[in-house]
Amino acid sequence: MVLKRFVLIGILLSGFICHSANAQLFGKKNKNSKTEEAPKKNKKSEYKSYKELVGNSSATDEGLFTTHRVDEKLYYEIPFKLLEKDMLLVSRIAKLPDDFGGGYINAGSKVNEQVVRWYKRDKNIDLKVISFQNESEEQSPIYKSVEANNFFPILYSTKIEGFNNDSSALLIEVSSLFTNEVDAINGMPDRLRKSYKVKRLDKNRSYIDEVKSFPQNIEVKHVMTYDADEPPGRDRSSTITMLMNQSMILLPEDMMQPRLADYRVGWFTVDKFNYNSEALKSDDYELIRRWRLVPKDIEAYKRGELVEPIKPIVYYLDPATPEKWRPFFKQGIEDWNQAFEKAGFKNAIIAKDPPSKEEDPEFSPEDVRYSVVRYVASTTRNAVGPSVTDPRTGEIIESDIIWYHNHLRSYRNRFMIEAGAQNPAARTLQTPEPEIGEMMRMVIAHEVGHALGLPHNMKASAAYPTDSLRSASFTQKYGLTPSIMDYARVNYVAQPEDKGVRYIRMMGPYDEYAINWGYRFIPEAKSKEDEKPVLDEWILEKAGNPWYEFGGGYDGVDPQSQRESLGRDQVKASRYGLMNLKKVVPNLVEWTSEEGKGYSELEEVYRELTYMWRGYVNHVITNIGGVYETRKTADQEGVIYDPVPKSVQKGAMEFVMENAFTTPVWLLNQGILRRIESAGAIERVQSIQSYHLRNLLDEERLLRLVENEQMDSKEAYTLLEMMNDLRNGLFSELYSAGKVDAYRKNLQRAFIDLASGYIENLDKEGRNAGKIRISEIIPVMRGELKKLRNDLNARKNRSGDTLTQYHWDDLIARIDKALKTD
């Protein structure tokens, strides 16, 4: 299925226009230009007649442009009135080889998005890429500099072949735009070109597959085939073939009034640089991405009445959506009406079944006039909520929510793993329809949130006290987190004795707050600047209340802003989660077995459970060297960054020692392992424990510990304290004269290798190499290794176990090599 017109969660667009009474933006069109006409035909005309050019067309489609397929050629019939009009060109991969990009690129992935215009140049047509990112007043002297330093590139150029019968449009052949390799629209990035050793695009195996023209957009699918020495996956054909989809969308001439972004409220944004700023630099700011919602009755809206928008947001279900899932999809879409009511709108978003041919013969999911929830028959376990945005104003034009069929599998497994100990409905591969339907509903609601302009808010889950998630009354009213835009899918905190709690996420107070902030119509504001005082006031009203805080959660610094984390206390939440996992493991064989089938389902669920153990530990490690972030502006009191208290960091280290670095006997269930593998448990545990150790000894974390100590030596959890706690915990057998098992040996070797790496790589370059060379890290690592070597020499013969003694000798040799003391 062709996937169209969308932007992935977290990528910023490259430009936009903002109208005001006294400003003109770079990228504007010449108001004095006249509509061109076709040259008068004469007997000696160098142009072919319309009939000669497209009279033998095998496929003609009328729409934004009339398109013609003539043999292998594609012609665009471009009306003169559409020359120099702003259009959005969105390039996506429609189909791709297995494991392309390591599995991180899916069908529908956007590769580029840019505003273009068609320009007539003598006997040629140029397709230029237009930027609206940089702006200046047209009368200002600096405007000429902005214009000179932002000369529009020509993406494509071709000659005019002829004109239509009434001379209102010109004809050009555009085949080479789609059969040649044009960097700005192809799906083979340089890094993959190098990785797969791509040699060239084979034009004999590259062609235009399908063309459709709609009133406001044109869709072109084209096959691109590359010769490659090392194609992805197990492919040995020396070939990479992909299907690209190019969407060209006419942008509205009546532009929406934009709204300024504020980093204290989470929104997808577009960037802007104003060179006429009075500040001694360009004025850098952002606009939020949102749909255009205007009340039908402004006066009633002003009185505080709920009012329908002139044009509501409408989502159609894909005709391929199974009937039994349609009610849940519709609920997930229309759940957002409760948030829009906070913004003064009723029936702002509507879900509809796909129309029949009789109801709407022109309906197509590829038509930009329709937003669709696509149901894709794919093994991909994901769902996405992309949208198409006018980069001039931030207006969302259209959106396609993508649900991949096998995402059902993700939620079935997670529900079993994280709720199986507490909820009988989770103890089966055939999750009951009410539960799996509710999960699908909330996934769709989450993706619609993205399509409305909201990014992930990973800080939301830390707003609720951890033990509140064990309360039926609290969770049924407030859910698991204040925002559906957090990753908080299943309530793993609740315990078996907690009856009536909610297990599945839902929308919360932050969602209502963010939608009101971004979508409430402000009638008295005539510009984006007029709105700012009102928007700031709304933020200050909620300041200090964690329910309304925002944090992206991608830098790994703030433990209150993490993916899949639940509750304010990560140590307590992870402890509850592990208690449940330990109850689930002994039951997995029973819960996943099906008569007449093997154990592939058991293997899959068991491996995913192992990753959740890793995730729970990760949530805790982030506290060590962690820094809380509370987004503020200069008019608010208090700091933005505050180190995690020492007591919390010490508690986190104790948890890690107990639950990450001790051998997980509870996980090594022989009844499971002997059904799914002949060997591999030691390597798997080693991999996860080493991962945690590398995370704990990460350069950035150690540098933060050093810096925090300099800022507040009395209250800080110092690097020396952390390393001392780590050494005593990792080598507890040495200090207790105990025997060391295979899992712990691997972990202890990993510690010495990591600590030695800081010393051995002292002269090597890296991102933080300079900082580390002049920090306390190298002396501390050297000192810890010397201390450990002395302890090993003094205690190595006390265990009474030969293999353990050999292990201690080996560690001494490794340390000596690192310290170069042989």
Side-chain angles (χ1 to χ4, degrees), residues 121-132:
R121 175 176 53 87
D122 297 327
K123 299 174 183 178
N124 301 281
I125 288 293
D126 296 334
L127 182 64
K128 293 186 177 182
V129 178
I130 312 300
S131 172
F132 298 100

Side-chain angles (χ1 to χ4, degrees), residues 688-724:
I688 292 175
Q689 290 185 327
S690 297
Y691 167 84
H692 288 315
L693 191 56
R694 288 193 303 273
N695 189 6
L696 197 58
L697 296 178
D698 175 72
E699 294 176 355
E700 298 282 356
R701 189 181 316 282
L702 301 188
L703 287 168
R704 288 196 301 273
L705 285 167
V706 171
E707 183 164 337
N708 289 340
E709 180 180 1
Q710 301 309 308
M711 299 291 288
D712 189 350
S713 59
K714 292 183 178 180
E715 296 299 325
Y717 185 45
T718 69
L719 174 61
L720 192 59
E721 285 179 283
M722 190 273 278
M723 291 299 295
N724 186 64

Side-chain angles (χ1 to χ4, degrees), residues 532-807:
K532 192 173 189 314
V534 177
L535 298 174
D536 286 347
E537 183 181 346
W538 293 344
I539 294 174
L540 293 176
E541 287 175 357
K542 304 295 186 183
N545 187 334
W547 287 21
Y548 303 103
E549 290 183 2
F550 173 76
Y554 290 100
D555 60 4
V557 173
D558 185 353
Q560 304 286 32
S561 188
Q562 301 191 72
R563 302 171 64 169
E564 310 290 357
S565 178
L566 281 179
R568 193 172 300 161
D569 184 334
Q570 293 78 43
V571 174
K572 182 181 286 188
S574 291
R575 197 175 300 280
Y576 282 140
L578 283 172
M579 288 168 62
N580 287 330
L581 292 189
K582 291 174 182 180
K583 295 180 178 72
V584 167
V585 168
N587 294 288
L588 282 185
V589 174
E590 177 187 349
W591 294 350
T592 61
S593 295
E594 294 182 282
E595 189 174 348
K597 295 185 179 181
Y599 292 105
S600 60
E601 299 279 10
L602 171 65
E603 180 179 5
E604 177 178 294
V605 173
Y606 175 76
R607 291 186 188 279
E608 290 184 23
L609 183 146
T610 302
Y611 296 142
M612 288 181 191
W613 165 50
R614 184 181 74 174
Y616 294 165
V617 173
N618 248 0
H619 295 159
V620 175
I621 288 178
T622 308
N623 284 275
I624 301 170
V627 179
Y628 299 138
E629 179 193 35
T630 304
R631 298 189 176 199
K632 297 179 179 179
T633 52
D635 56 314
Q636 294 176 267
E637 293 183 358
V639 298
I640 293 175
Y641 299 103
D642 194 23
V644 174
K646 179 177 181 177
S647 60
V648 175
Q649 296 191 56
K650 290 277 287 185
M653 179 62 83
E654 292 172 4
F655 176 93
V656 171
M657 287 302 166
E658 177 186 351
N659 295 285
F661 295 152
T662 57
T663 301
V665 177
W666 62 272
L667 187 65
L668 303 173
N669 184 293
Q670 294 302 305
I672 295 174
L673 295 176
R674 294 189 178 188
R675 283 176 167 85
I676 64 173
E677 61 188 12
S678 58
I682 292 179
E683 181 181 359
R684 185 183 309 110
V685 172
Q686 177 193 8
S687 175
I688 292 175
Q689 290 185 327
S690 297
Y691 167 84
H692 288 315
L693 191 56
R694 288 193 303 273
N695 189 6
L696 197 58
L697 296 178
D698 175 72
E699 294 176 355
E700 298 282 356
R701 189 181 316 282
L702 301 188
L703 287 168
R704 288 196 301 273
L705 285 167
V706 171
E707 183 164 337
N708 289 340
E709 180 180 1
Q710 301 309 308
M711 299 291 288
D712 189 350
S713 59
K714 292 183 178 180
E715 296 299 325
Y717 185 45
T718 69
L719 174 61
L720 192 59
E721 285 179 283
M722 190 273 278
M723 291 299 295
N724 186 64
D725 290 344
L726 181 60
R727 175 173 43 79
N728 286 330
L730 289 181
F731 294 89
S732 59
E733 297 93 340
L734 176 66
Y735 300 112
S736 65
K739 178 181 176 181
V740 188
D741 67 25
Y743 300 94
R744 293 277 290 179
K745 287 175 183 174
N746 285 331
L747 187 58
Q748 291 162 1
R749 294 183 193 111
F751 170 80
I752 290 176
D753 290 345
L754 287 167
S756 300
Y758 277 99
I759 301 170
E760 294 169 348
N761 297 325
L762 185 60
D763 297 327
K764 293 186 179 180
E765 292 301 319
R767 185 178 62 174
N768 295 310
K771 297 178 185 177
I772 291 171
R773 275 195 288 268
I774 62 173
S775 76
E776 302 293 335
I777 294 175
I778 300 299
V780 168
M781 292 298 172
R782 196 185 303 275
E784 284 297 310
L785 287 175
K786 287 183 177 179
K787 168 66 175 169
L788 180 58
R789 183 184 60 183
N790 291 338
D791 289 346
L792 284 165
N793 279 318
R795 300 168 181 267
K796 65 180 181 178
N797 297 319
R798 296 182 182 182
S799 69
D801 178 70
T802 302
L803 286 178
T804 296
Q805 290 176 6
Y806 288 167
H807 171 63

Side-chain angles (χ1 to χ4, degrees), residues 102-365:
Y104 292 100
I105 301 176
N106 295 318
S109 295
K110 182 185 74 69
V111 298
N112 203 358
E113 184 171 284
Q114 51 207 321
V115 178
V116 296
R117 292 181 195 153
W118 296 92
Y119 285 88
K120 183 177 181 296
R121 175 176 53 87
D122 297 327
K123 299 174 183 178
N124 301 281
I125 288 293
D126 296 334
L127 182 64
K128 293 186 177 182
V129 178
I130 312 300
S131 172
F132 298 100
Q133 195 168 39
N134 301 309
E135 70 177 3
S136 173
E137 293 178 5
E138 188 175 10
Q139 291 75 26
S140 169
I142 203 173
Y143 177 83
K144 293 181 180 180
S145 178
V146 174
E147 185 178 29
N149 287 282
N150 291 272
F151 192 56
F152 299 147
I154 298 173
L155 178 68
Y156 179 72
S157 185
T158 188
K159 66 179 182 179
I160 299 171
E161 301 282 351
F163 305 89
N164 66 350
N165 289 329
D166 64 2
S167 298
S168 62
L170 54 85
L171 273 85
I172 57 173
E173 187 201 341
V174 293
S175 310
S176 58
L177 175 62
F178 304 108
T179 56
N180 289 341
E181 192 168 18
V182 179
D183 287 342
I185 66 172
N186 77 57
M188 183 66 70
D190 288 341
R191 64 179 181 84
L192 294 183
R193 183 183 294 276
K194 293 177 182 178
S195 176
Y196 299 141
K197 297 185 178 179
V198 174
K199 294 182 287 189
R200 67 185 181 95
L201 178 74
D202 186 349
K203 293 185 179 181
N204 292 325
R205 293 179 288 166
S206 301
Y207 56 89
I208 296 170
D209 181 62
E210 184 178 70
V211 182
K212 292 183 180 180
S213 188
F214 301 99
Q216 296 174 18
N217 62 297
I218 295 175
E219 303 294 315
V220 178
K221 291 189 293 186
H222 58 108
V223 172
M224 303 188 78
T225 300
Y226 298 87
D227 288 327
D229 288 339
E230 296 183 8
R234 295 182 293 275
D235 195 332
R236 293 294 177 265
S237 64
S238 298
T239 297
I240 298 174
T241 298
M242 63 178 65
L243 181 68
M244 295 296 299
N245 193 103
Q246 310 295 341
S247 301
M248 186 172 290
I249 304 160
L250 181 66
L251 293 174
E253 292 199 40
D254 174 26
M255 286 183 277
M256 178 187 76
Q257 179 172 296
R259 179 160 292 181
L260 290 167
D262 189 306
Y263 90 132
R264 294 171 292 180
V265 188
W267 283 85
F268 290 129
T269 61
V270 289
D271 294 335
K272 191 65 175 175
F273 303 94
N274 182 359
Y275 286 89
N276 278 106
S277 169
E278 291 298 321
L280 301 180
K281 65 179 185 65
S282 63
D283 185 9
D284 308 344
Y285 60 90
E286 297 171 312
L287 300 180
I288 68 171
R289 293 174 47 202
R290 58 175 183 156
W291 297 79
R292 187 189 310 211
L293 291 184
V294 179
K296 285 182 179 179
D297 186 337
I298 299 291
E299 294 305 315
Y301 190 85
K302 288 180 179 179
R303 293 193 298 268
E305 299 175 24
L306 290 179
V307 178
E308 291 185 345
I310 294 173
K311 184 181 179 181
I313 304 165
V314 179
Y315 276 98
Y316 289 88
L317 299 190
D318 190 325
T321 308
E323 292 283 349
K324 67 177 180 177
W325 302 134
R326 292 187 181 189
F328 299 108
F329 279 30
K330 287 182 179 179
Q331 287 176 325
I333 296 166
E334 295 188 346
D335 278 342
W336 282 98
N337 276 320
Q338 74 181 64
F340 279 111
E341 288 180 2
K342 297 294 183 181
F345 292 101
K346 68 177 179 181
N347 302 323
I349 187 166
I350 300 169
K352 292 185 177 182
D353 285 316
S356 65
K357 286 292 184 183
E358 293 73 26
E359 292 171 327
D360 188 349
E362 297 183 355
F363 175 81
S364 170

Side-chain angles (χ1 to χ4, degrees), residues 358-464:
E358 293 73 26
E359 292 171 327
D360 188 349
E362 297 183 355
F363 175 81
S364 170
E366 297 174 2
D367 190 332
V368 75
R369 295 174 298 171
Y370 302 102
S371 294
V372 180
V373 179
R374 301 289 195 97
Y375 196 100
V376 180
S378 168
T379 57
T380 299
R381 293 168 60 174
N382 198 13
V384 294
S387 59
V388 173
T389 302
D390 184 342
R392 305 167 304 175
T393 63
E395 179 184 358
I396 297 174
I397 305 296
E398 182 270 352
S399 160
D400 281 348
I401 308 299
I402 315 296
W403 172 276
Y404 297 97
H405 177 75
N406 260 25
H407 208 30
L408 289 164
R409 190 173 194 164
S410 301
Y411 280 85
R412 176 202 70 176
N413 292 358
R414 181 174 286 274
F415 192 47
M416 176 182 289
I417 294 166
E418 295 196 302
Q422 316 95 290
N423 191 335
R427 299 167 187 169
T428 173
L429 292 173
Q430 305 303 321
T431 310
E433 187 171 308
E435 281 77 13
I436 195 67
E438 179 72 358
M439 285 184 265
M440 294 176 75
R441 170 186 177 180
M442 294 307 162
V443 175
I444 294 297
H446 177 95
E447 302 307 338
V448 170
H450 285 320
L452 294 175
L454 302 180
H456 291 129
N457 180 8
M458 301 305 184
K459 197 175 184 68
S461 57
Y464 292 164

